[in-house]
Amino acid sequence: MHRRILFSKEQIDKRVNELALEISRDYQGVEPVFVGLLKGVIFFFSDLLRAISIPARIDFIRAESYGNSMESSGNIRITKDVEVDLRSKHVIVVDDIVDTGLTLSHIVDVVRSRGAETIKVCALIDKMERRTSNINIDYWGFRIEKGFVVGYGLDYAEKFRCLPDIYVLEEKVNNDTVKGD
Ligand code: 5GP
């Protein structure tokens, strides 16, 4: 598997700061609760939250949906729940990448069932091709059509998470083999 750079650390930093500015403006006078979807969100979440200029609370939730494959199983199970009381709170759910949207819509339902007053969604990457749920992404960093991306928290079978840039994984085409056969 070959990896090609898609978004550099500099591009990510710039976009994250823009998002932080936008969210800080929209939530003036409100103390929102940011709920990060583990584990892929860690670097995005920590960069975003340090760039936010308003008081905020943070918490995390973890859902299992992918295992080691590149396909969504559609079965979503909460493996780590939120601990902050969300009743009457203004919640922003922060995710790494939205693909089918099934995970995120499930999480939004969970947050709603905990009594949140408002819920918005922020995702670093909006991958649009396979969207099956009609979830609205209020804040997004990058939009891509398709591809499997890694780095900046995103993994493939737990690999590549700690890379500072974002890459797309590609099957390596061996030209010699193609020409030779
Ligand atoms: P969805 O439920 O939207 O289909 O899947 C969302 C989750 O699948 C993401 O939070 C992420 O864990 C995983 N996922 C979807 N697309 C990608 C991708 O391109 N790269 C990586 N590393 N994970 C992905």
Side-chain angles (χ1 to χ4, degrees), residues 37 65-66 70 72 76 95-104 127 130 144 147-150 154-156:
L37 204 49
S65 66
Y66 259 66
M70 287 186 181
S72 178
I76 295 130
D95 198 3
D96 50 4
I97 181 162
V98 187
D99 186 11
T100 63
L102 293 173
T103 311
L104 201 52
K127 184 163 78 176
R130 301 196 306 170
I144 61 172
F148 195 85
V149 297
V150 296
L154 289 152
D155 75 310
Y156 174 54

Side-chain angles (χ1 to χ4, degrees), residues 2 10 61 73 84 97 116 149 154 180:
H2 173 75
E10 290 70 30
I61 193 164
S73 67
V84 163
I97 181 162
V149 297
L154 289 152

Side-chain angles (χ1 to χ4, degrees), residues 8 11 27 41 46 48 61 73-74 82 95 98-99 108 112 115-116 122 133 170 172 176:
S8 68
Q11 286 172 296
Y27 283 81
V41 84
S46 62
L48 181 75
I61 193 164
S73 67
V82 274
D95 198 3
V98 187
D99 186 11
V108 166
R112 188 178 297 116
C122 172
S133 89
E170 293 171 335
K172 196 169 183 178
D176 294 343

Side-chain angles (χ1 to χ4, degrees), residues 114-128:
R114 303 289 157 76
E117 188 167 328
T118 65
I119 307 167
K120 281 194 181 182
V121 165
C122 172
L124 177 65
I125 301 175
D126 179 2
K127 184 163 78 176
M128 299 171 295

